[in-house]
């Protein structure tokens, strides 16, 4: 893998319930609404579950995701391709936290920050 090792951990407050955050992170139909410009593969199940493997794209760059953990308050994805590493999500009433580590040419922290801001905007608009 080309690139450099990067890691970032961010936590934000959101005006949303833990259940709304869960649906936004574990249901691909909801996830695709705020994840733009990243695109998810078609044919995704209704909800992410442990053992599921799927692909997403940021422009022409493909990232394979393997769902290692999918619980009511956390999600852990192993990443391969455009990013080799992992992405963890934790959430509760009014907050969401994202931790990502990996080797990539992509600016991981910038993408993570923009993703969290889009998630907050999505949750605020839908609450």
């Amino acid at each position: 893998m080309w690139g450099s090792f990067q890691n970032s951990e961010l936590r934000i407050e959101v005006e949303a319930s833990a259940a709304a955050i869960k649906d936004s992170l574990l249901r691909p139909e909801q996830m695709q609404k705020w994840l733009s410009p990243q695109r998810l593969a078609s044919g995704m199940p209704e909800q992410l579950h442990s053992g599921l493997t799927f692909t997403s794209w940021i422009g022409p760059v493909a990232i394979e995701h393997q769902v290692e953990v999918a619980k009511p308050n956390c999600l852990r994805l192993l990443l391969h391709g455009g990013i080799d590493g992992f992405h963890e999500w934790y959430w509760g009433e009014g907050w969401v936290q994202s931790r990502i580590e990996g080797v990539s040419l992509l600016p991981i922290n910038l993408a993570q920050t923009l993703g969290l801001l889009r998630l907050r905007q999505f949750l605020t608009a839908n609450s």
Side-chain angles (χ1 to χ4, degrees):
M1 176 73 206
W2 293 95
S4 59
F5 175 76
Q6 303 171 57
N7 65 328
S8 180
E9 187 168 346
L10 298 171
R11 179 178 171 132
I12 62 170
E13 292 184 10
V14 293
E15 293 185 29
S17 68
I21 297 167
K22 175 185 157 226
D23 286 346
S24 298
L25 292 170
L26 294 181
R27 296 188 178 277
E29 181 181 328
Q30 294 297 313
M31 189 185 303
Q32 189 61 74
K33 293 177 182 177
W34 63 266
L35 200 57
S36 179
Q38 191 171 356
R39 301 177 328 273
L40 298 175
S42 60
M44 296 282 291
E46 184 177 317
Q47 185 164 325
L48 300 182
H49 57 83
S50 296
L52 175 69
T53 300
F54 64 94
T55 303
S56 70
W57 292 267
I58 299 175
V61 178
I63 302 170
E64 183 179 303
H65 306 257
Q66 179 183 352
V67 181
E68 187 175 51
V69 176
K71 294 184 178 181
N73 65 342
C74 70
L75 174 65
R76 180 179 168 95
L77 305 166
L78 300 179
L79 309 173
H80 306 283
I83 302 170
D84 285 334
F86 69 88
H87 193 172
E88 293 177 331
W89 294 88
Y90 297 93
W91 58 89
E93 290 295 318
W95 64 271
V96 61
Q97 181 172 310
S98 169
R99 177 177 172 219
I100 188 166
E101 289 187 7
V103 175
S104 181
L105 290 171
L106 300 171
I108 289 176
N109 182 266
L110 176 62
Q112 178 191 31
T113 301
L114 292 174
L116 280 169
L117 292 174
R118 284 192 303 270
L119 175 60
R120 178 194 284 167
Q121 182 179 20
F122 173 76
L123 288 165
T124 300
N126 291 299
S127 63

